[in-house]
Amino acid sequence: MAEHVSDVTGERSAGAVSQARAQFLESGAAPSVRSPIQLSWARSASLGVDPSELHPVRPRDDDRGDEVFDRVGDVLARAATAFEGEPVSIIFAAPSGRVLHWYCADAALRRRLEAVSLVPGVGYGEAHVGTNGIGTALELGRPTLVVGQEHFNERLSMFACAGAPLHHPVTGALLGVVDITCAASLANPLLLGTARAIAVQLQDALAAQLSGRDTALLRDYLATSRDGSEPVLALSDDVLMLNRSAQDLLSPQDRAAVVSRTSQTRVIATAHSFRTNLPSGAVADLSYAPTFHHGALVGGVLRLHLDPTQDEPVQAPPEPPVRPTLPGVVGVSEAWTDAVGRVRELVAHQRTVLVRGEAGVGKLSLLKAVHFGANGSLHIRVFDCAAVGDVDRWIDRLCDDLEDGCGTIVLQHLERLPAVAVEPLVRLLRQHAPTSSVEGPHWIVATHTVSARPTAIDAVVAPHFDATVTLAPLRERPDDIPVLARSMMQNAGDGEDVRLTLDALDHLARLPWPGNAAHLHEVVRRAARHQRNGLVDVWQLPEECLAVPDRPLSVTESLERDAIVRALREHRGDTVAAARALGLSVALLSRQAQDFGVLSELLEPPPAG
């Protein structure tokens, strides 16, 4: 290690690395640098990272609030006392690369870190800023040192950073990375060793605080999956473990479905078996054995047998009409019903609520449903923060409604609130804090984190709400897709008897839905418009449902995809006839169909009828 760090930090080597970096940016090759650095540069370039300017990004905060990270903060705070007065910083970042904890006692270094946005909340994964001690250590899964010009982004070349990954002592899951950063000129052989030592301290602290519940579940999981030949999952309220066989066999959608469909099973204190269809179309036979700790049920272990080739997959009987828990919204998944219950409880107790989620996930619909379900006789006002216009007039209207004091106020698109309106809004939030009086206003706010501006909203406005509820995206709630689609089709039929077949519902549940419920609603509406009565099968769904590309498509590519799908559908899978109709060669049609992710079934004649 000493020789390696000396080579990296010597003046001659630093110049050589700088020259190699320039060569890489020009030609894409730099054989004279260390292999991990060269590979990281290649990843950074392929991800489109800017090599000269930084563009700070705040990843989704789905790792915020985990008690593990609170424990990490305690240990890091103690470790940081050993560096008081030293020009080094200690940082901990989540698996997403988002900085969670940050300690730096040196004022000059602190200013330099702030200048490159290496501060809490900002993402420092390779996809965000390129090669660096945080992102590259996460990518490689092992301790990594990055010095000076080895950074992909030029603005980070003044630093040396050493990252050491932290793994959960029971599950082995990656929890994040410990990073030590200092000036590049101060890099020495102890930098990486110190980061590793702190990571070991963190892992020991976590192991010492593990509950007997986790240990009991781990014991049963290891005993069940000892030979590794069959898929095994261990589940509790806050732990999910899968052996290699389960990881290889189950897609992310199938994993989510298994976890969702065993939520009720995990409260049963006896061993039992059951069978279920999965979004992939396979049929799963599951055997469940509960785990106990001091007589209390803590979770259990599932053995899974997957049958992907059954000629007649198990079909559940048609479900009765879904009775929504709130007017106008439906959902059966644990993630959805938990969020609905949480919002209803908070509103009932006159608490202010910040609802987060991706665009189209149903934030405003949920908030309106909560209002009309609990306060139908009171008014509801929606203030669109994306259409403020005259700030003073907007604030005055909001203030008037607050002073009326009886109804629900929804601040929609909070992340798009103009900067000049932040302070006036905060003053109103402080002035009109909710009370226990049933006559007080309900504060409910809809926002999505994907495009949220980081600093003013997250740091200044959000803390003034009593609670935050996050709505999971539709792709993580596959069980909700069929009931949502069925309900949407009933509303879109304009009185006509138009229904989706079980195959169509199952197919919709497998799609990723980047636009969430709003996207699904548009697809269902289009299907209902083209099929005025009867059943809508898979082959009658809009073209985008019959092609699942592995990358975003441009507008032109989307039009080309739709044309190919229409031609294949019209010619019942006859690629020769479809290619002739499009004026393409069969080879080009096949290549484009594969590139656009056209379903392989569409390249074969669909079933008659």
Side-chain angles (χ1 to χ4, degrees):
M1 174 60 70
E3 291 180 359
H4 170 72
V5 175
S6 177
D7 288 344
V8 171
T9 57
E11 291 184 4
R12 181 177 301 177
S13 292
V17 173
S18 178
Q19 185 177 2
R21 179 178 175 278
Q23 177 186 349
F24 174 83
L25 294 176
E26 181 179 348
S27 66
S32 61
V33 298
R34 294 185 289 140
S35 176
I37 298 300
Q38 184 179 358
L39 292 174
S40 177
W41 285 355
R43 287 192 299 269
S44 303
S46 67
L47 290 167
V49 177
D50 192 328
S52 57
E53 292 297 328
L54 290 168
H55 305 281
V57 173
R58 289 181 178 258
R60 289 185 59 199
D61 58 352
D62 52 357
D63 48 18
R64 182 176 297 173
D66 193 312
E67 64 172 338
V68 167
F69 297 132
D70 293 335
R71 299 172 188 172
V72 166
D74 294 339
V75 175
L76 288 183
R78 291 195 298 270
T81 60
F83 291 91
E84 289 183 0
E86 297 294 330
V88 299
S89 67
I90 301 179
I91 297 168
F92 181 80
S96 65
R98 189 169 65 92
V99 175
L100 296 177
H101 297 288
W102 186 87
Y103 301 92
C104 182
D106 184 78
L109 178 60
R110 188 186 309 117
R111 286 193 296 270
R112 286 195 289 270
L113 295 175
E114 291 171 346
V116 296
S117 298
L118 183 45
V119 294
V122 175
Y124 253 71
E126 280 193 344
H128 305 129
V129 298
T131 308
N132 74 97
I134 294 173
T136 306
L138 288 170
E139 189 71 30
L140 298 177
R142 62 176 184 266
T144 303
L145 177 68
V146 180
V147 179
Q149 288 288 335
E150 290 183 332
H151 289 88
F152 184 78
N153 187 282
E154 177 67 28
R155 292 191 60 194
L156 301 180
S157 62
M158 69 178 73
F159 300 109
C161 48
L166 172 66
H167 295 272
H168 194 285
V170 170
T171 66
L174 179 65
L175 297 178
V177 60
V178 177
D179 172 84
I180 297 181
T181 295
C182 65
S185 59
L186 299 179
N188 63 70
L190 299 178
L191 201 62
L192 190 60
T194 303
R196 297 177 67 173
I198 295 175
V200 170
Q201 291 178 26
L202 287 170
Q203 191 163 30
D204 289 345
L206 293 176
Q209 297 182 52
L210 277 177
S211 69
R213 297 163 57 92
D214 291 337
T215 305
L217 184 63
L218 176 64
R219 178 200 62 216
D220 289 354
Y221 165 73
L222 293 176
T224 305
S225 59
R226 183 171 291 114
D227 63 4
S229 60
E230 63 177 348
V232 175
L233 301 86
L235 309 100
S236 69
D237 289 340
D238 51 9
V239 171
L240 170 62
M241 292 181 278
L242 301 87
N243 66 356
R244 175 60 62 184
S245 180
Q247 294 176 41
D248 291 342
L249 285 176
L250 294 177
S251 68
Q253 292 82 7
D254 282 355
R255 275 182 227 170
V258 168
V259 173
S260 176
R261 293 169 191 176
T262 56
S263 60
Q264 298 302 317
T265 294
R266 297 200 298 274
V267 302
I268 301 175
T270 57
H272 57 281
S273 300
F274 61 100
R275 200 172 214 213
T276 185
N277 286 326
L278 297 178
S280 65
V283 179
D285 292 303
L286 300 114
S287 299
Y288 178 79
T291 291
F292 298 91
H293 178 63
H294 294 317
L297 181 66
V298 299
V301 178
L302 282 165
R303 286 189 177 94
L304 182 145
H305 173 71
L306 207 60
D307 188 350
T309 59
Q310 287 206 358
D311 294 331
E312 298 181 1
V314 174
Q315 291 286 352
E319 299 178 15
V322 176
R323 296 187 178 275
T325 56
L326 290 170
V329 295
V330 296
V332 296
S333 69
E334 185 177 7
W336 173 257
T337 55
D338 284 352
V340 168
R342 179 69 174 145
V343 173
R344 294 182 68 175
E345 178 186 4
L346 289 162
V347 171
H349 289 84
Q350 299 285 298
R351 312 315 296 167
T352 63
V353 187
L354 179 65
V355 177
R356 293 184 183 273
E358 294 180 3
V361 81
K363 300 179 293 296
L364 185 59
S365 297
L366 170 60
L367 297 175
K368 287 182 175 179
V370 170
H371 167 81
F372 289 114
N375 309 295
S377 62
L378 302 177
H379 73 242
I380 180 171
R381 297 284 190 271
V382 178
F383 288 80
D384 189 351
C385 299
V388 170
D390 187 324
V391 173
D392 292 337
R393 182 176 298 177
W394 190 83
I395 290 292
D396 287 343
R397 290 203 310 269
L398 180 58
C399 186
D400 290 343
D401 265 42
L402 280 169
E403 290 176 353
D404 287 345
C406 54
T408 298
I409 294 177
V410 180
L411 298 178
Q412 189 184 17
H413 302 137
L414 183 65
E415 77 284 351
R416 296 171 67 180
L417 184 73
V420 294
V422 170
E423 283 303 322
L425 176 59
V426 169
R427 285 198 298 270
L428 284 180
L429 287 171
R430 290 171 179 163
Q431 181 181 352
H432 295 276
T435 68
S436 59
S437 168
V438 295
E439 297 180 356
H442 301 287
W443 270 94
I444 306 175
V445 178
T447 185
H448 61 85
T449 60
V450 173
S451 60
R453 289 202 312 264
T455 307
I457 302 305
D458 288 346
V460 179
V461 181
H464 289 278
F465 294 90
D466 296 321
T468 297
V469 177
T470 300
L471 299 185
L474 199 55
R475 62 182 173 274
E476 296 178 8
R477 302 184 279 120
D479 284 356
D480 286 343
I481 295 174
V483 294
L484 272 170
R486 188 184 292 113
S487 174
M488 291 170 176
M489 181 61 80
Q490 290 172 352
N491 294 327
D494 296 327
E496 303 289 342
D497 184 19
V498 184
R499 290 176 292 125
L500 291 157
T501 66
L502 288 177
D503 285 343
L505 290 170
D506 183 62
H507 179 73
L508 292 174
R510 303 181 205 176
L511 301 180
W513 300 111
N516 292 294
H519 188 184
L520 175 63
H521 182 267
E522 174 60 20
V523 163
V524 170
R525 187 188 64 80
R526 286 161 53 197
R529 188 177 62 208
H530 287 93
Q531 185 83 11
R532 302 302 299 174
N533 56 66
L535 295 175
V536 177
D537 203 354
V538 174
W539 307 106
Q540 280 79 51
L541 292 173
E543 288 81 2
E544 66 178 282
C545 296
L546 303 180
V548 186
D550 57 6
R551 59 182 175 84
L553 300 182
S554 67
V555 174
T556 301
E557 289 175 325
S558 296
L559 294 173
E560 293 174 349
R561 172 204 62 196
D562 292 351
I564 289 174
V565 170
R566 280 196 299 271
L568 287 168
R569 184 161 53 186
E570 289 170 2
H571 293 280
R572 303 187 61 78
D574 186 336
T575 54
V576 175
R580 186 183 303 116
L582 293 170
L584 304 174
S585 68
V586 175
L588 179 57
L589 172 66
S590 299
R591 284 199 302 273
Q592 288 190 324
Q594 182 179 9
D595 184 43
F596 294 150
V598 174
L599 298 182
S600 58
E601 296 92 331
L602 197 59
L603 300 175
E604 302 173 358

